[in-house]
Amino acid sequence: MLLTRAPVTSLWNRKICGSLLSRAAMSSGSDILASFGSGKTFEGNNVASAMEALAKADAVCFDVDSTVITEEGIDVLAESLGKGEAVAEWTKKAMTGGVKFQDALAARLALIEPSKKAIEDCLSNTPLQLSPGVDTLVTALQKRGTSVYLVSGGFRIMIEPVADILGVPIGNIYANHILFDDEGLYAGFDKTEPTSASQGKPKALNIIKEAGGYETMIMVGDGATDAEARPPADAFIGFGGVAIREPVKEKACWFVYDFEDMIKVVTEHQKD
């Protein structure tokens, strides 16, 4: 993980995150860095290219748990069902890349076997909380015409209310689908969803990129599965506002602890 002082970047760092700057003047990323002032430092392997990518992005994909919201949704659900500690251990393994995501997902669901009513009660009793500033960032992106997607290893049934608050279309959610029987009892999960397995987020972003014809796509998230999404994402912005995961930090083009600087880039450096 590198510390970058505006407006300095290196050729080696530019190579780390690809040839994004070749589509525009090489100085534009440095110009964005310089706009923060010479005393400001940033963390990441290639902050300039990530900032430029964000400035010109026509699609931004957000992880949900510990990024858009301040907790891991499945941990909140497990806690409500009295299985919080055991499930949290599996979540930690999945987020740091210590176990295949599909194994962690299956193990956690097997521990809690949530019914539809249990999930609805959990959301009603303990509504998921947005990370500070994420609603402002999403609104700013949408206002300038950038498509916003929620790409998560979490569950669609829990993410849809979050998307509704943010004004993200339901069709822009890529997440796991819990299956229920006719009585609303847990019946497994849809293993055909791309986000149900390791390397699922790159698959989801490929689908999004091809379907939307996007030229510049960003992935924002806190976990190992988010870092895997570059490529096809042109830049990966790691988020440490809820949890700081060192393996993720090391792979981030730009690592942030809140959304304020991203908001500044989006509002002050408009895409073409």
Side-chain angles (χ1 to χ4, degrees), residues 8 25 40 52 74 100 103 133-134 147 149 156 162 181 186 191 199 204 245 251 267:
V8 179
K40 177 89 171 180
E52 184 174 331
I74 192 170
K100 288 183 179 180
D103 294 339
V134 71
S147 297
Y149 291 84
R156 175 177 290 272
V162 175
D181 64 18
Y186 175 72
K191 296 181 181 180
Q199 294 295 319
R245 312 184 202 279
K251 294 177 181 178
T267 57

Side-chain angles (χ1 to χ4, degrees), residues 75 78-79 82-92 108 111-112:
D75 292 352
E79 188 67 32
K83 301 291 181 67
E85 186 174 343
V87 168
E89 282 299 313
W90 277 103
T91 299
K92 183 178 179 180
R108 288 177 291 176
L111 281 168
I112 58 178

Side-chain angles (χ1 to χ4, degrees), residues 63 67 94-96 221-228 236 239 245 248:
D63 175 42
T67 299
M95 290 302 99
T96 57
D222 72 293
T225 58
D226 306 311
E228 291 174 349
F236 167 57
F239 182 73
R245 312 184 202 279
V248 175

Side-chain angles (χ1 to χ4, degrees), residues 25-85:
M26 293 291 281
S27 63
S28 59
S30 296
D31 288 343
I32 297 173
L33 267 174
S35 71
F36 285 91
S38 60
K40 177 89 171 180
T41 58
F42 299 91
E43 296 180 62
N45 289 319
N46 194 342
V47 177
S49 71
M51 285 184 171
E52 184 174 331
L54 180 60
K56 65 165 60 174
D58 44 10
V60 175
C61 301
F62 289 89
D63 175 42
V64 177
D65 297 315
S66 294
T67 299
V68 168
I69 61 173
T70 60
E71 55 253 306
E72 294 288 325
I74 192 170
D75 292 352
V76 174
L77 177 60
E79 188 67 32
S80 73
L81 295 172
K83 301 291 181 67
E85 186 174 343

Side-chain angles (χ1 to χ4, degrees), residues 2-272:
L2 303 176
L3 285 176
T4 302
R5 183 177 297 275
V8 179
T9 56
S10 70
L11 177 60
W12 182 82
N13 277 343
R14 282 196 289 273
K15 290 180 179 178
I16 291 292
C17 289
S19 58
L20 176 67
L21 295 179
S22 65
R23 295 200 292 269
M26 293 291 281
S27 63
S28 59
S30 296
D31 288 343
I32 297 173
L33 267 174
S35 71
F36 285 91
S38 60
K40 177 89 171 180
T41 58
F42 299 91
E43 296 180 62
N45 289 319
N46 194 342
V47 177
S49 71
M51 285 184 171
E52 184 174 331
L54 180 60
K56 65 165 60 174
D58 44 10
V60 175
C61 301
F62 289 89
D63 175 42
V64 177
D65 297 315
S66 294
T67 299
V68 168
I69 61 173
T70 60
E71 55 253 306
E72 294 288 325
I74 192 170
D75 292 352
V76 174
L77 177 60
E79 188 67 32
S80 73
L81 295 172
K83 301 291 181 67
E85 186 174 343
V87 168
E89 282 299 313
W90 277 103
T91 299
K92 183 178 179 180
K93 293 176 184 178
M95 290 302 99
T96 57
V99 66
K100 288 183 179 180
F101 184 81
Q102 58 266 36
D103 294 339
L105 179 62
R108 288 177 291 176
L109 284 172
L111 281 168
I112 58 178
E113 295 190 335
S115 67
K116 187 174 183 180
K117 184 178 186 304
I119 296 173
E120 291 171 345
D121 287 346
C122 175
L123 292 174
S124 176
N125 295 331
T126 55
L128 300 176
Q129 302 298 310
L130 294 180
S131 293
V134 71
D135 51 348
T136 302
L137 176 57
V138 169
T139 298
L141 286 165
Q142 293 173 327
K143 185 177 180 180
R144 75 172 195 184
T146 298
S147 297
V148 173
Y149 291 84
L150 302 180
V151 182
S152 174
F155 308 124
R156 175 177 290 272
I157 190 174
M158 300 183 75
I159 292 171
E160 286 181 353
V162 175
D164 185 58
I165 293 171
L166 293 173
V168 174
I170 296 300
N172 286 17
I173 299 173
Y174 285 75
N176 290 313
H177 183 57
I178 296 179
L179 305 176
F180 304 103
D181 64 18
D182 291 340
E183 296 180 354
L185 300 178
Y186 175 72
F189 64 96
D190 186 352
K191 296 181 181 180
T192 66
E193 290 283 356
T195 54
S196 68
S198 296
Q199 294 295 319
K201 288 187 179 178
K203 293 177 183 177
L205 264 67
N206 265 322
I207 293 170
I208 293 168
K209 200 166 192 176
E210 292 177 8
Y214 299 117
E215 293 186 2
T216 305
M217 176 180 284
I218 306 295
M219 182 70 208
V220 183
D222 72 293
T225 58
D226 306 311
E228 291 174 349
R230 182 188 62 84
D234 296 280
F236 167 57
I237 300 177
F239 182 73
V242 176
I244 300 172
R245 312 184 202 279
E246 290 301 325
V248 175
K249 195 175 181 183
E250 291 170 2
K251 294 177 181 178
C253 298
W254 180 17
F255 194 83
V256 301
Y257 297 91
D258 57 47
F259 293 113
E260 294 306 309
D261 290 342
M262 292 178 66
I263 293 169
K264 177 180 171 68
V265 171
V266 170
T267 57
E268 298 183 10
H269 302 276
Q270 297 294 317
K271 71 188 184 77
D272 296 334

